[in-house]
């Protein structure tokens, strides 16, 4: 990675690294399967970064992101957070938002609701100032569709849920992002339930989400938005659970990345 970004002949790169280690600016932390180095002190790293002209810094961050993508093409999820950081530092906000979204989905899959919520908020914050096009609209709608239910599940204040819903629905419809539209209805239903709405209100708000999933034949989405009504008695809840299991078929993880 360093060889690709430094753009130095191998002999010069090796000599530079040896000199930095001998001067105790860097520490060699691994030899196998590849040599790895770290700064001995965080302040040294800050000074080294801060001393570069802004144009060079952004160029280097972009080069690191591109090299990481090529070198780790088979396991990019493990490097998604680092890629998001480098693209953001390179001023490539759409690229950064894409990778933050990937980190958020992985956090949701691992049931780390707060981490997912934080990442989706970053996605929305990075995209909001950008010029609108199909991709930015769709990705913003997706982010807001995940922020709404995540905020409820994380037991965060729900006073902003209506504003989130209205903004998200507008973006989703303009982008034609039907998954996001369904998730927004589902998230609003959850928010209404947790703020004391009657079961009938919960079901009515959930109906558009189910209708979209059924019309599109999106089984993963249908599993996600067809959750059990918390007000159901045990027999109804069990029957509903059986229906969801039947929908999942042989794929027990279906829809997990949407939850």
């Amino acid at each position: 990675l360093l060889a690709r970004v430094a753009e130095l002949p191998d002999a010069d790169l090796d000599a530079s690294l040896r000199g930095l280690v001998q001067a105790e600016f860097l520490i060699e932390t691994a030899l196998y399967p590849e040599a790895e180095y770290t700064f001995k002190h965080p302040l040294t790293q800050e000074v080294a970064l801060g001393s570069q002209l802004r144009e060079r810094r952004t160029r280097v961050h972009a080069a690191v992101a591109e090299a990481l993508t090529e070198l780790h093409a088979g396991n990019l999820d493990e490097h998604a957070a680092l890629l998001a950081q480098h693209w953001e530092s390179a001023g490539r906000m759409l690229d950064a938002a894409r990778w933050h979204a990937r980190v958020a989905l992985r956090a949701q899959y691992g049931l780390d609701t707060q981490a997912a919520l934080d990442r989706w908020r970053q996605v929305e914050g990075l995209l909001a100032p950008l010029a609108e096009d199909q991709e930015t609209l769709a990705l913003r709608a997706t982010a807001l569709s995940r922020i709404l239910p995540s905020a409820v599940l994380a037991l965060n204040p729900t006073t902003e849920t209506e504003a989130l819903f209205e903004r998200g629905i507008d973006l989703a419809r303009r982008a034609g992002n039907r998954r996001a539209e369904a998730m927004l209805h589902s998230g609003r239903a959850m928010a209404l339930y947790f703020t004391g709405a009657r079961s009938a209100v919960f079901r009515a708000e959930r109906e558009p989400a189910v209708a979209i999933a059924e019309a599109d034949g999106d089984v993963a989405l249908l599993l996600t938005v067809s959750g059990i009504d918390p007000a159901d008695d045990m027999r109804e809840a069990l029957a509903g659970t059986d229906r969801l299991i039947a929908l999942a078929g042989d794929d027990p993880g279906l829809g997990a990345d949407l939850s």
Side-chain angles (χ1 to χ4, degrees), residues 113-136:
T113 305
Q114 188 58 55
L117 176 59
D118 292 342
R119 289 287 178 172
W120 286 123
R121 289 190 186 281
Q122 284 181 280
V123 172
E124 162 67 359
L126 289 172
L127 294 177
L130 301 185
E132 291 185 350
D133 60 24
Q134 192 70 17
E135 184 177 6
T136 58

Side-chain angles (χ1 to χ4, degrees), residues 62-124:
V64 171
E66 288 168 353
L68 279 170
T69 303
E70 292 173 12
L71 289 169
H72 301 286
N75 59 338
L76 287 175
D77 279 345
E78 294 181 17
H79 302 275
L82 193 55
L83 283 161
Q85 175 190 329
H86 281 297
W87 283 126
E88 193 169 340
S89 297
R92 300 266 292 270
M93 299 312 177
L94 178 55
D95 287 309
R98 291 181 185 127
W99 286 103
H100 279 301
R102 196 155 171 172
V103 178
L105 286 172
R106 197 175 185 196
Q108 282 186 207
Y109 191 82
L111 301 182
D112 191 343
T113 305
Q114 188 58 55
L117 176 59
D118 292 342
R119 289 287 178 172
W120 286 123
R121 289 190 186 281
Q122 284 181 280
V123 172
E124 162 67 359

Side-chain angles (χ1 to χ4, degrees), residues 3 6-20 37:
E7 298 178 343
L8 289 173
D10 289 346
D12 291 349
L13 179 60
D14 289 342
S16 297
L17 288 168
R18 282 197 304 273
L20 290 166
Y37 299 85

Side-chain angles (χ1 to χ4, degrees), residues 54-72:
R54 183 176 178 180
E55 182 182 347
R56 173 171 168 74
R57 273 205 313 273
T58 57
R59 189 170 68 249
V60 169
H61 278 295
V64 171
E66 288 168 353
L68 279 170
T69 303
E70 292 173 12
L71 289 169
H72 301 286

Side-chain angles (χ1 to χ4, degrees), residues 15 21 51 57 73 98 101 126 147-148 155 170 177 181 197 202 228 235 247:
V21 169
S51 64
R57 273 205 313 273
R98 291 181 185 127
L126 289 172
I147 290 169
L148 186 52
L155 302 180
D170 173 62
N177 188 339
E181 186 177 347
F202 167 81
I228 306 304
R235 283 186 294 273
L247 273 174

